[in-house]
Amino acid sequence: MTDQPILVIGATGKTGSRVASKLEAKGVAVRRGARRSETPFDWDNPATWAPALNGVSKAYVTYFPDLAFPGAIETLEALIEVAAETGLKHLVLLSGRGEHFASMGEEAVRNSGIPFTIVRAAWFAQNFSEGYLRDPILGGVLPMPGGDIAEPIIDIDDIADVVVAALTEEGHIGERYEVTGPRLMTFADMAEVLSATLGRHIRHIPIAFEDFHANVATSGGEFVADVFTSIARETLDGRNAHTADGVERALGRKPRDFAAFAQTAMASGAWSAAA
């Protein structure tokens, strides 16, 4: 470790906020990269990139809303060039499991010449408690496409722990950690767990991708809906219906189960109507 801060790009996002807080809890200096940060970082404003990267030793990079967004790969490649020029010593990239464009982003990082770690993640459990599925769950339903396709959904706190380990410990350079939960679950299985946790029936409703798009657009807008629907169409076809050992390899422990996530989210008030 050095006295130089670690840049966390997307520090207000689901994973970035957790990574920044966990690093600070370890006594690590953090530069929070967001549009309204003390040192701003804005993907849409390349003039902010070099100032955000200058003087940092390492960076955690997430692209909002996803690497599947049109132009994301080209933008990531441009950022990597700036990072190389500023002398970045280690780049940790958040990638998506089973996504074509995410794989392209991984290749850009691999070919950059910058020491790297890739964290390739399954679907986020926190989409149920903080994201576009929270409001439907409050209404007693879980509307998702994909039929009976199973997904090893992951707790974002596990992702953050893997990222923090990669940024603060030896032995993670050049690794690609494919991180998943410990078991495969259909969305109907997840609805059963949520029902048991919340103490009221949460009904899984299999829906078409067009309906999924409309639901996401209601909470996140067309911009986000287009991206997440594209990802859902691509990945909810069975290609990700297997677990991976990234959490175990990076942390030496099992990933958290979806039931444990649900209990923690419930205890925090995530599904309180006033939250």
Side-chain angles (χ1 to χ4, degrees):
M1 295 297 294
T2 71
D3 294 331
Q4 292 180 304
I6 293 176
L7 173 64
V8 176
I9 293 175
T12 59
K14 288 188 182 71
T15 66
S17 61
R18 287 169 168 83
V19 168
S21 295
K22 288 174 182 284
L23 287 171
E24 288 170 344
K26 291 172 71 72
V28 177
V30 173
R31 181 175 294 170
R32 291 178 177 254
R35 289 180 179 178
R36 293 178 178 82
S37 296
E38 181 178 349
T39 304
F41 180 93
D42 185 346
W43 281 109
D44 295 328
N45 183 3
T48 65
W49 300 352
L53 284 160
N54 281 329
V56 305
S57 58
K58 305 176 183 182
Y60 174 52
V61 178
T62 64
Y63 188 92
F64 179 83
D66 192 271
L67 289 170
F69 188 75
I73 302 305
E74 293 80 3
T75 303
L76 175 63
E77 289 172 339
L79 174 76
I80 288 169
E81 290 184 9
V82 176
E85 290 170 0
T86 60
L88 191 71
K89 297 179 176 65
H90 187 190
L91 187 156
V92 178
L93 176 74
L94 179 66
S95 178
R97 198 170 182 243
E99 297 179 34
H100 171 68
F101 287 105
S103 294
M104 292 177 63
E106 293 178 11
E107 282 303 304
V109 169
R110 286 182 182 277
N111 296 330
S112 68
I114 300 171
F116 67 88
T117 308
I118 292 167
V119 181
R120 179 187 283 181
W123 280 62
F124 296 170
Q126 276 75 4
N127 286 332
F128 294 88
S129 59
E130 302 172 23
Y132 51 86
L133 291 170
R134 178 180 175 272
D135 286 345
I137 288 169
L138 287 177
V141 295
L142 174 53
M144 281 295 294
D148 292 329
I149 293 297
E151 170 74 16
I153 193 163
I154 187 165
D155 188 322
I156 287 179
D157 281 310
D158 280 340
I159 299 174
D161 285 345
V162 171
V163 171
V164 169
L167 289 167
T168 61
E169 300 173 359
E170 299 293 330
H172 300 284
I173 297 292
E175 292 288 347
R176 186 190 72 196
Y177 295 119
E178 188 164 338
V179 294
T180 73
R183 59 172 166 151
L184 289 171
M185 302 179 71
T186 66
F187 289 110
D189 294 333
M190 297 175 208
E192 288 184 8
V193 170
L194 293 170
S195 296
T197 303
L198 275 68
R200 55 189 178 84
H201 184 53
I202 307 297
R203 181 167 59 97
H204 171 236
I205 302 176
I207 60 173
F209 288 105
E210 292 78 11
D211 295 327
F212 176 75
H213 183 280
N215 291 345
V216 177
T218 299
S219 60
E222 292 287 330
F223 173 80
V224 174
D226 288 346
V227 173
F228 282 110
T229 303
S230 174
I231 294 170
R233 286 183 183 276
E234 182 179 17
T235 60
L236 292 179
D237 63 355
R239 71 181 65 188
N240 289 336
H242 58 277
T243 59
D245 65 354
V247 173
E248 290 96 326
R249 288 199 300 114
L251 302 176
R253 66 163 174 82
K254 296 276 188 191
R256 298 177 181 91
D257 190 75
F258 183 74
F261 148 75
Q263 290 288 345
T264 300
M266 182 69 175
S268 72
W271 290 299
S272 167

